[in-house]
Amino acid sequence: MSLLRAWLTLVWLSFRRLLWSASTLMIVFPLAAGGLFLLKRRYGAMEDVEAAFAMYSNFLILVFASILIPICALAYGTASVGGDREDRTLLFLLVRPIPRWLILLAKFTATLPLTVGLTAASFFIYCRLAGEPGELAYQLYLPTVLFITLAYVSLFHLFAVSLRHATIVALIYAIFMEVLLGNLPGIIKRVAVNYYGRSLMYSYGAREGLPRPEFFEPLSASAATWALGGIACAAILLAMLIFERREYRDLT
């Protein structure tokens, strides 16, 4: 029971620390820019609803899912452990009588509602701003948004326990490597989370007439869903294993 109380306390303290951190400010500005863009585009005022849906879907696929969700995930995902590491408070956690893997699970548990809540809320607001095309997109793409967020949060926790300057590396990876790898021909694009998210969104959007780019070869919806779930589970389990065994000599 004392271990459970300690774990819950760590979850709550980590949640509060992340919520009232610079990471929140880092996220607000790009999300607000996306909202201003939608206000200017006025998809809901277009007479051709099918064309408006296709244009709005492309915004979601190429901007929201490919750029904004990764930024939200890395801002909190890398800071959950990286913040303690930079402030040298991680040492105080490691000497506590709590298993290391449980510490990381607490960090992950604190991060997940923040990231999922923020991406889901912003997605809802974006869809409301887009009018009728947005209402349809919300019904089709919400599960995909949640799966993508979960995969990125797990992946960036793996970055945080493995790399010294995880935020910088994650930012380079999310903005450049993911976009590059996700658009390469052949099997190499399957190492990118972005590829599976786009596959899901194009698959669901095709039912409402969303055209798929000729150069993009998506997986089936079921395969892409399993892939995102597998990436999330594998990344967080590997992060726990590394965190359990690694010696952080830079803390001493």
Side-chain angles (χ1 to χ4, degrees):
M1 185 61 70
S2 60
L3 183 61
L4 177 60
R5 285 200 300 267
W7 184 79
L8 292 174
T9 300
L10 180 57
V11 170
W12 174 241
L13 291 175
S14 300
F15 178 87
R16 288 176 53 192
R17 180 176 183 175
L18 288 171
L19 179 62
W20 304 110
S21 67
S23 298
T24 302
L25 292 177
M26 171 185 171
I27 295 169
V28 167
F29 291 109
L31 289 178
L36 292 175
F37 174 81
L38 291 176
L39 285 174
K40 184 177 180 180
R41 296 294 296 178
R42 297 174 58 86
Y43 292 116
M46 295 182 179
E47 295 182 0
D48 190 339
V49 178
E50 185 174 335
F53 171 76
M55 294 174 64
Y56 178 61
S57 294
N58 285 325
F59 165 79
L60 292 176
I61 294 170
L62 301 177
V63 178
F64 184 69
S66 299
I67 298 176
L68 297 182
I69 291 180
I71 288 177
C72 292
L74 77 87
Y76 288 130
T78 57
S80 64
V81 176
D84 286 298
R85 193 172 177 181
E86 292 295 332
D87 296 339
R88 297 184 177 275
T89 56
L90 183 59
L91 180 63
F92 294 99
L93 291 177
L94 297 181
V95 299
R96 300 296 178 183
I98 304 176
R100 283 193 175 193
W101 67 269
L102 205 56
I103 293 175
L104 184 62
L105 184 60
K107 294 290 186 178
F108 179 75
T109 304
T111 305
L112 201 57
L114 279 171
T115 312
V116 171
L118 190 62
T119 54
S122 58
F123 181 57
F124 174 77
I125 294 172
Y126 284 178
C127 289
R128 294 285 292 179
L129 293 175
E132 185 176 348
E135 294 177 5
L136 179 58
Y138 186 80
Q139 298 173 11
L140 291 175
Y141 302 141
L142 180 60
T144 303
V145 169
L146 299 180
F147 269 106
I148 295 172
T149 304
L150 177 62
Y152 275 122
V153 171
S154 300
L155 182 63
F156 291 139
H157 271 80
L158 177 58
F159 279 32
V161 301
S162 305
L163 304 171
R164 180 68 177 85
H165 301 289
T167 301
I168 297 174
V169 177
L171 185 61
I172 295 172
Y173 171 81
I175 302 300
F176 298 104
M177 298 303 296
E178 275 276 310
V179 175
L180 176 63
L181 293 175
N183 288 287
L184 288 176
I187 198 172
I188 192 171
K189 60 178 173 287
R190 299 197 179 191
V191 302
V193 174
N194 173 270
Y195 169 69
Y196 300 106
R198 292 172 66 190
S199 293
L200 269 179
M201 298 181 84
Y202 278 125
S203 177
Y204 292 141
R207 303 170 187 175
E208 301 297 331
L210 175 66
R212 175 175 59 82
E214 295 182 2
F215 63 86
F216 187 73
E217 302 175 359
L219 287 178
S220 65
S222 60
T225 301
W226 279 104
L228 288 173
I231 290 171
C233 293
I236 195 62
L237 289 175
L238 183 57
M240 288 181 182
L241 179 62
I242 293 174
F243 192 65
E244 183 73 26
R245 296 175 177 274
R246 183 167 181 180
E247 295 184 12
Y248 294 94
R249 299 183 183 276
D250 56 293
L251 300 178
T252 59

